[in-house]
Amino acid sequence: MTKTPSLASTAPLQADYEAALQLSGLVDDVQDASLLDPRPYRYVEGETICRPGDPADCLWVIVSGAIAVKLQDQTLFVRRRNEVVGEQHLVGNGYQRVYGLVAAESNVEVLVIDKARLEAHPEAGVIWRNIAKIISIKLRNASRKTATLGRQLADDTRILHAYTSQYALSRRLQSGGDHQADYLVERTVIWFSDVVNFSKYILKSPPERIADIVQRFFNAQTEPILDCGGHIDKFIGDGLMAFWVLSNPGEDTRKVCAAAARAAEQAAENVANISIGNVQLALRIGLHIGPVISGDFGSATRHQFTLIGPEVNKAARLEQAHSDDVVDGQPPLGDIRISPEFRRELNALATRRFCKRFVVRAKNMGTMDLYTA
């Protein structure tokens, strides 16, 4: 139960009480503030001053300490020394408290002023004007805070999109703020790519120059991936992992695989237009389709949404295959390598384009088939 302050009148006011009343703005232009009969009361930290649903029959002027304005368990505002609290719900008969007020410091002292005293005061009109001014100032400050929070939210959203994919964000939000993204088995197109022989330039060029080139060749890949409906999973050194999720049973698998193949061809063309001196860069890409486990993986303190499973490893091995790994087929290997499973989902024209079959040795996987253009 909320504590009811003592009804004993305290006159005259102590100097600190009178100063708090004057500085609060409640009694500006009021000749005799003592007629309000403000009564001091002390609270300790965590003690309830009022609860939602309590009758709005008084207001408080904070003499010392701080008071939290709460909605359920959320703190909306913290009011401090010489501020008025509880005034907004006084306007109207029978109004009840919407918010709770809780002492937010170890020693909180307030002056309690009854609504009946406000209404009976000979200068009630002036006091209500002052209350309106106090409410107006608070609303203006709340609007500014809301605008600031809106800008911060927009900035945070941009940062989130910069560090994770839209698909990962949607999965994360569906799980709620207190939980990691649920684990799902999903049929997925997996992409791995890597810039050929770029590592030899890293320690020989100025860092700023390398950073510029890296951004250029990642832009050259991410734009076609996103344009074709894919999601960026992560950047791995100068490599990239991306994916397309076939989340609906009736989704056109051929359409998704065709989009991934178009993205691969456009990305390879884009990267080929980037040169270091007179050396043209090249891109290797592995494309595979199969079931993966997706969700948040990591430690108790740090995790990341990603895909795991043997099919992910197979896509990575497709990209990593070199001519020295070829067991059957005539090297060189093409830059875009697709698995037989991925090739079966392409139309006849694309199938004819990716017609060169190779058998290659793959680390920890024995041999595997792949096709290139």
Side-chain angles (χ1 to χ4, degrees):
M1 175 179 290
T2 305
K3 287 190 176 181
T4 303
S6 169
L7 296 178
S9 177
T10 58
L13 289 175
Q14 296 179 14
D16 53 345
Y17 297 160
E18 185 173 356
L21 194 60
Q22 295 293 333
L23 292 171
S24 71
L26 181 66
V27 295
D28 287 355
D29 302 321
V30 174
Q31 297 301 312
D32 191 354
S34 66
L35 295 178
L36 293 173
D37 190 23
R39 304 182 311 281
Y41 197 83
R42 284 192 173 92
Y43 295 88
V44 297
E45 186 171 9
E47 193 171 2
T48 298
I49 299 169
C50 74
R51 291 186 174 88
D54 286 353
D57 53 9
C58 68
L59 58 75
W60 298 267
V61 176
I62 303 174
V63 178
S64 62
I67 292 175
V69 181
K70 300 181 78 70
L71 181 62
Q72 296 178 346
D73 294 329
Q74 183 180 6
T75 298
L76 303 179
F77 299 98
V78 176
R79 303 299 182 193
R80 302 188 182 278
R81 181 179 177 184
N82 304 331
E83 288 193 79
V84 177
V85 290
E87 78 288 349
Q88 295 187 36
H89 301 135
L90 296 185
V91 184
N93 287 327
Y95 271 31
Q96 294 181 328
R97 302 291 179 189
V98 175
Y99 308 117
L101 299 178
V102 177
E105 292 186 4
S106 56
N107 285 304
V108 177
E109 191 167 17
V110 298
L111 294 175
V112 185
I113 301 175
D114 292 330
K115 181 180 179 181
R117 291 284 188 172
L118 291 172
E119 294 173 332
H121 196 283
E123 298 175 279
V126 177
I127 297 173
W128 285 115
R129 180 206 67 188
N130 293 339
I131 289 175
K133 186 188 300 182
I134 291 168
I135 293 173
S136 176
I137 291 171
K138 287 183 178 179
L139 287 175
R140 182 181 64 200
N141 291 338
S143 296
R144 289 174 177 171
K145 182 178 180 180
T146 300
T148 300
L149 289 174
R151 289 191 295 270
Q152 182 179 337
L153 178 61
D155 289 343
D156 291 346
T157 301
R158 283 192 291 271
I159 291 170
L160 281 173
H161 282 292
Y163 282 90
T164 191
S165 70
Q166 181 62 48
Y167 181 76
L169 278 179
S170 64
R171 285 276 302 279
R172 188 68 178 80
L173 292 173
Q174 288 170 14
S175 298
D178 297 330
H179 304 282
Q180 297 182 7
D182 295 334
Y183 301 112
L184 297 177
V185 176
E186 300 180 297
R187 192 161 187 248
T188 307
V189 172
I190 311 114
W191 160 310
F192 276 90
S193 59
D194 191 39
V195 177
V196 179
N197 293 327
F198 177 71
S199 298
K200 68 181 181 181
Y201 296 103
I202 290 178
L203 298 179
K204 299 178 181 179
S205 300
E208 294 81 4
R209 161 79 167 148
I210 293 299
D212 176 66
I213 296 171
V214 169
Q215 182 169 348
R216 288 173 62 196
F217 67 60
F218 277 145
N219 286 341
Q221 298 173 71
T222 57
E223 289 176 4
I225 291 171
L226 298 178
D227 288 345
C228 291
H231 304 282
I232 307 300
D233 182 82
K234 62 172 70 71
F235 299 103
I236 313 164
D238 55 356
L240 184 155
M241 177 181 171
F243 62 94
W244 285 255
V245 176
L246 292 106
S247 52
N248 301 317
E251 192 167 2
D252 189 342
T253 303
R254 288 198 168 193
K255 183 177 179 180
V256 174
C257 289
R262 285 198 309 274
E265 291 175 329
Q266 186 61 59
E269 182 181 335
N270 292 348
V271 171
N273 290 326
I274 302 172
S275 298
I276 299 178
N278 62 355
V279 178
Q280 189 179 49
L281 295 182
L283 188 66
R284 285 195 310 264
I285 302 171
L287 286 172
H288 178 50
I289 183 170
V292 303
I293 300 174
S294 65
D296 283 336
F297 296 93
S299 68
T301 56
R302 181 183 173 92
H303 49 262
Q304 176 183 347
F305 183 92
T306 192
L307 318 176
I308 64 171
E311 309 307 318
V312 176
N313 296 337
K314 184 172 181 178
R317 298 295 183 264
L318 290 169
E319 179 273 310
Q320 294 165 359
H322 291 80
S323 294
D324 293 343
D325 300 318
V326 174
V327 175
D328 186 18
Q330 293 298 317
L333 290 166
D335 292 335
I336 301 174
R337 297 88 178 274
I338 66 174
S339 67
E341 295 87 347
F342 185 89
R343 185 174 183 265
R344 282 196 293 268
E345 300 295 346
L346 297 178
N347 61 30
L349 181 62
T351 300
R352 287 195 297 270
R353 189 163 69 254
F354 291 96
C355 61
K356 295 180 181 178
R357 176 181 173 272
F358 293 86
V359 179
V360 297
R361 286 184 295 268
K363 182 180 178 182
N364 299 326
M365 296 184 68
T367 59
M368 64 179 185
D369 292 359
L370 64 83
Y371 290 83
T372 71

